[in-house]
């Protein structure tokens, strides 16, 4: 054992919290140079709801992507209810417009706040009150600080913090930790329980994963308080009953907005799908221990058979965690139990999505579960310091080396999220061949006007994703831009079959039919689009233009007037309406 004079002094709690916050801010400071990428383009740039208070109110009655006419809005795999994401964008938009640095700064500050609360949680679980000696108290303090720094610096958090759309995970996790701070020390008073209920509602409105909060709080209570302090079943039921008011309020809001819709495929499970469920813990969860390489998609690609080595690896990992849970339960290691609860329960929704046929690999899904991971790491570090006090310096050097390596990986990964082209080029180089990569690259080239480069990518994506509305629609647009109207029509007819209630497909079929010279068919398609979306300005405009070209000038007036009423500044509609009125008016005598 080192003599007291050789042990490093314990930093004051305020210094520890400041150090963790500073580490979290510095490692992600590079995000301030990044722009909007991936879903940010829809949720921030194209989203009409955050532009007004009325739009924000509408967001509380719609799914996350309900403002889109595309498959994302209607596909049951995207039935997510997260209105506070729109509130987050609204607040920043009012103060900073569309300056990306402001959104990234907000996420950096959110991550720093989460990291500080993680340190509080680790200190609560490894507190001196649970130690029998000053040596134990010091070991617990150093272990808690090391675990919190690991959370602050971990590269697996880059997706959640460097991507503006990751605000849903950061906001949800911050709410969960604030609720935990209100809940402890046990027993929570009625006002604190009601406060936790309100914060739980906030977390749920950021992301559905927060529904695991009651179980997480129960585990924390058992880890930090005696049975006498927690009280009997009746006292606990009253506390958790008050907490449940937050969940009940969320249930009412969600049912009113979306009914019973849940994300996931309705297709029956396949052998490959079942194999992917077994592989998932190793494929995604393994990034907590070995965060290389990181990418938006699984670097190993989709699991296609039981022969994939990730299947037995995932099964072994789950078996090891279950064995550890049994050991912790039998030995009444309640801090270890809490760590396993916080690691496993928040990851369960992603595993459930995987089981329902959704490829749920996303590093942001580890943001909340990683709290349980760092708690287990901190517990192991404390045990090592207590068991081998004479090797404390070596343990400190190893821990510092791991933190430095993880910080370096994060600093390298952050610039990958600078823009869409950088991100998807990196993904193409890092991840095995996947249709989604070609879909994203094809869309990028198409939006940039590089149609000839877009078509090969979109064709590969269309073959690999035969039921994806957006892929076939974008391929049809690319074909139309190069004059391949027959190919465009074929792809659009496919999109209409995939999603007959989507007006986009019928509108685009109208455009293609008009280019082919079939004006009557084009008019019918535009009317189909308007039957599904009567206030669709583009379809009103093109219907009026097509009627005008077909010589049906009197019929063209009404849709053009309606287009101008909905969008008074639409100059093409104004010109077409003037032409229609002039043509429909009787000649002067």
């Amino acid at each position: 054992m080192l003599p007291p004079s050789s042990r490093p002094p314990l930093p004051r709690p305020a210094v520890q919290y400041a150090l963790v916050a500073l580490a979290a801010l510095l490692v992600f400071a590079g995000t301030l140079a990044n722009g909007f990428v991936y879903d940010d383009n829809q949720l921030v740039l194209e989203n009409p709801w955050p532009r007004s208070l009325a739009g924000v109110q509408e967001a509380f009655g719609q799914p996350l992507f309900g403002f889109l006419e595309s498959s994302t809005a209607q596909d049951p795999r995207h039935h997510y209810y997260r209105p506070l994401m729109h509130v987050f964008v609204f607040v920043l938009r009012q103060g900073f417009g569309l300056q990306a640095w402001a959104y990234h700064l907000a996420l950096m500050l959110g991550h720093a706040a989460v990291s500080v609360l993680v340190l509080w949680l680790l200190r609560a679980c490894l507190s001196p009150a649970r130690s029998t000696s000053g040596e134990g108290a010091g070991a617990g303090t150093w272990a808690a600080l090391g675990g919190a720094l690991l959370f602050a610096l971990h590269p697996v958090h880059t997706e959640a913090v460097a991507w503006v759309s990751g605000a849903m995970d950061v906001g949800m996790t911050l709410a969960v930790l604030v609720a935990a701070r209100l809940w402890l020390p046990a027993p929570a008073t009625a006002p604190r329980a009601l406060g936790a209920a309100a914060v739980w509602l906030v977390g749920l409105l950021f992301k559905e994963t927060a529904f695991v909060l009651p179980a997480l709080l129960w585990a924390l209570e058992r880890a930090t308080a005696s049975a006498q302090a927690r009280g009997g079943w009746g006292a606990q039921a009253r506390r958790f009953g008050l907490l449940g008011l937050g969940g009940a309020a969320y249930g009412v809001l969600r049912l009113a907005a979306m009914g019973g819709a849940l994300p996931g495929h309705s297709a029956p499970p396949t052998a490959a799908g079942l194999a992917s469920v077994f592989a998932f813990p190793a494929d995604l969860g393994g990034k907590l221990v070995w965060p290389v390489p990181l990418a938006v998609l699984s670097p190993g690609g989709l699991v296609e058979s039981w022969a994939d080595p990730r299947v037995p690896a995932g099964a072994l990992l789950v078996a090891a965690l279950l064995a550890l849970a049994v050991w912790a339960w039998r030995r009444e290691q309640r801090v270890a139990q809490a760590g396993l609860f916080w690691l496993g329960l928040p990851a369960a929704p992603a595993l459930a999505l995987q089981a329902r046929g959704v490829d749920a690999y996303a590093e942001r899904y580890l943001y909340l579960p990683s709290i349980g991971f760092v708690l287990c790491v901190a517990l192991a570090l404390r045990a090592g310091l207590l068991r081998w006090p004479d090797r404390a310096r070596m343990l400190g050097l190893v821990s510092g080396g791991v933190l430095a390596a993880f910080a370096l990986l994060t600093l390298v990964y952050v610039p990958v999220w600078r823009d869409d082209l950088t991100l998807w080029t990196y993904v193409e180089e890092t991840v095995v061949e996947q249709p989604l990569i070609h879909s994203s690259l094809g869309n990028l080239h198409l939006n940039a006007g590089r149609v000839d480069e877009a078509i090969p990518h979109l064709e590969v994506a269309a073959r690999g994703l035969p039921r994806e509305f957006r892929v076939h629609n974008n391929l049809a647009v690319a074909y139309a831009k190069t004059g391949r109207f027959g190919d465009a029509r074929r792809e659009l007819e496919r999109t209409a079959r995939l999603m007959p209630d989507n007006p986009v497909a019928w509108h685009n079929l109208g455009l293609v039919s008009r280019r082919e010279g079939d004006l009557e068919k084009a008019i019918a398609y535009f009317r189909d689009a308007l039957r599904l979306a009567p206030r669709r300005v583009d379809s009103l405009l093109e219907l009026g233009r097509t009627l005008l070209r077909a010589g049906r000038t009197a019929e063209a007036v009404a849709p053009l007037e309606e287009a101008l009423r909905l969008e008074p500044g639409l100059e093409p509609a104004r010109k077409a309406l003037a032409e229609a009125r002039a043509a429909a008016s009787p000649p002067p005598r």
Side-chain angles (χ1 to χ4, degrees):
M1 182 180 296
L2 292 173
S5 59
S6 67
R7 297 177 199 152
L10 290 171
R12 290 178 298 172
V15 174
Q16 296 177 43
Y17 287 118
L19 178 61
V20 169
L22 184 62
L25 291 171
L26 289 178
V27 77
F28 286 105
T31 63
L32 296 175
N34 291 357
F36 298 113
V37 297
Y38 204 9
D39 286 349
D40 296 347
N41 295 308
Q42 295 172 339
L43 285 173
V44 180
L45 301 180
E46 301 171 11
N47 189 351
W49 289 342
R51 298 172 189 172
S52 66
L53 277 174
V56 171
Q57 291 172 356
E58 186 177 354
F60 278 84
Q62 297 282 346
L64 177 64
F65 288 101
F67 57 90
L68 295 176
E69 293 178 318
S70 69
S71 59
T72 305
Q74 300 180 31
D75 193 324
R77 287 170 294 168
H78 297 278
H79 285 157
Y80 301 113
Y81 182 63
R82 302 170 185 178
L84 286 190
M85 179 62 195
H86 302 285
V87 175
F88 171 79
V89 176
F90 170 78
V91 171
L92 288 171
R93 188 168 184 141
Q94 300 311 302
F96 302 96
L98 295 176
Q99 299 183 70
W101 68 264
Y103 297 76
H104 289 296
L105 177 61
L107 274 173
M108 283 172 53
L109 294 172
H111 176 61
V114 170
S115 301
V116 165
L117 285 169
V118 168
L119 175 58
W120 162 80
L121 185 147
L122 299 186
R123 286 172 59 89
C125 291
L126 307 173
S127 63
R130 300 186 63 82
S131 301
T132 57
S133 65
E135 184 71 25
T141 299
W142 281 113
L145 179 59
L149 286 171
L150 177 60
F151 181 90
L153 300 171
H154 206 302
V156 84
H157 297 154
T158 304
E159 182 177 329
V161 183
W163 182 34
V164 174
S165 297
M168 291 176 278
D169 288 271
V170 175
M172 177 267 295
T173 303
L174 181 59
V176 165
L177 287 169
V178 170
R181 184 66 185 88
L182 289 168
W183 196 258
L184 297 183
T189 61
R192 286 197 286 127
L194 288 172
V199 178
W200 186 25
L201 174 60
V202 170
L204 286 165
L205 292 175
F206 263 114
K207 191 171 182 179
E208 299 85 347
T209 308
F211 82 87
V212 300
L213 176 67
L216 300 183
L217 295 183
W218 174 79
L220 274 185
E221 271 197 358
R222 295 183 74 255
T224 59
S226 65
Q228 183 179 5
R230 299 196 306 274
W233 287 106
Q236 293 182 46
R238 285 190 293 273
R239 290 199 303 276
F240 282 95
L242 292 175
L243 177 69
L245 294 175
Y250 170 78
V252 170
L253 290 171
R254 183 183 176 95
L255 282 172
M258 302 179 58
L262 292 173
H265 281 299
S266 57
T270 63
L274 292 174
S276 71
V277 173
F278 280 89
F280 190 69
D283 196 21
L284 180 61
K287 298 303 179 185
L288 289 170
V289 178
W290 190 258
V292 179
L294 296 172
V296 176
L297 307 174
S298 169
L302 300 175
V303 176
E304 298 181 354
S305 73
W306 290 85
D308 192 303
R310 290 171 292 178
V311 175
L316 285 174
L317 177 60
V318 171
L321 290 174
L322 289 175
L324 183 59
V326 171
W327 171 85
W329 189 270
R330 288 181 175 176
R331 295 293 187 92
E332 293 192 359
Q333 297 290 326
R334 293 183 174 176
V335 175
Q337 292 172 26
L340 292 172
F341 260 82
W342 279 70
L343 173 61
L345 284 181
L351 186 61
L353 284 177
Q354 194 80 11
R356 297 188 67 187
V358 178
D359 181 16
Y361 183 97
E363 288 143 16
R364 65 186 182 278
Y365 292 165
L366 294 175
Y367 194 73
L368 177 56
S370 64
I371 297 175
F373 171 73
V374 299
L375 177 54
C376 291
V377 170
L379 187 61
L381 180 58
R382 187 185 71 168
L385 290 170
L386 292 175
R387 185 175 180 85
W388 301 293
D390 55 330
R391 301 179 183 177
R393 193 178 302 279
M394 182 192 71
L395 288 172
L397 289 173
V398 171
S399 300
V402 171
L403 292 175
F406 275 33
L408 180 61
L409 288 172
T410 303
L411 291 170
V412 171
Y413 193 32
V414 162
V416 168
W417 291 84
R418 185 177 302 275
D419 54 56
D420 276 316
L421 187 58
T422 303
L423 174 64
W424 288 106
T425 301
Y426 166 85
V427 172
E428 186 180 32
E429 295 170 350
T430 307
V431 177
V432 298
E433 183 85 357
Q434 290 195 38
L436 183 57
I437 301 173
H438 290 284
S439 173
S440 300
L441 287 170
N443 294 343
L444 282 173
H445 290 306
L446 180 62
N447 293 334
R450 299 185 293 268
V451 183
D452 289 336
E453 295 178 59
I455 288 176
H457 285 293
L458 292 172
E459 287 176 335
V460 173
R463 288 193 295 271
L465 301 168
R467 299 192 59 78
E468 286 293 327
F469 172 96
R470 183 182 293 274
V471 172
H472 294 282
N473 186 72
N474 289 344
L475 179 56
V477 171
Y479 282 150
K481 286 180 178 292
T482 56
R484 298 168 59 178
F485 297 114
D487 292 332
R489 188 187 337 103
R490 185 183 64 251
E491 292 298 323
L492 289 171
E493 288 169 349
R494 181 191 294 268
T495 64
R497 288 194 301 271
L498 287 172
M499 201 159 288
D501 293 334
N502 193 311
V504 174
W506 302 107
H507 176 88
N508 288 341
L509 274 168
L511 293 175
V512 169
S513 298
R514 189 173 67 189
R515 289 292 299 271
E516 290 181 316
D518 194 339
L519 299 183
E520 293 304 318
K521 186 175 285 188
I523 290 168
Y525 283 139
F526 289 131
R527 291 193 191 279
D528 285 336
L530 289 168
R531 176 177 51 81
L532 297 168
R535 295 169 59 86
R536 196 173 196 280
V537 175
D538 284 352
S539 297
L540 288 165
L541 171 62
E542 299 305 337
L543 174 60
R545 284 173 157 179
T546 309
L547 287 167
L548 188 59
R549 187 181 298 183
R552 297 160 63 176
T553 53
E555 295 178 60
V557 172
L560 291 170
E561 286 179 337
E562 179 65 7
L564 273 175
R565 187 186 69 81
L566 294 171
E567 193 172 325
L570 190 61
E571 192 59 29
R574 189 178 307 280
K575 291 180 178 179
L577 180 59
E579 184 179 347
R581 283 174 173 168
S585 300
R589 295 180 181 178

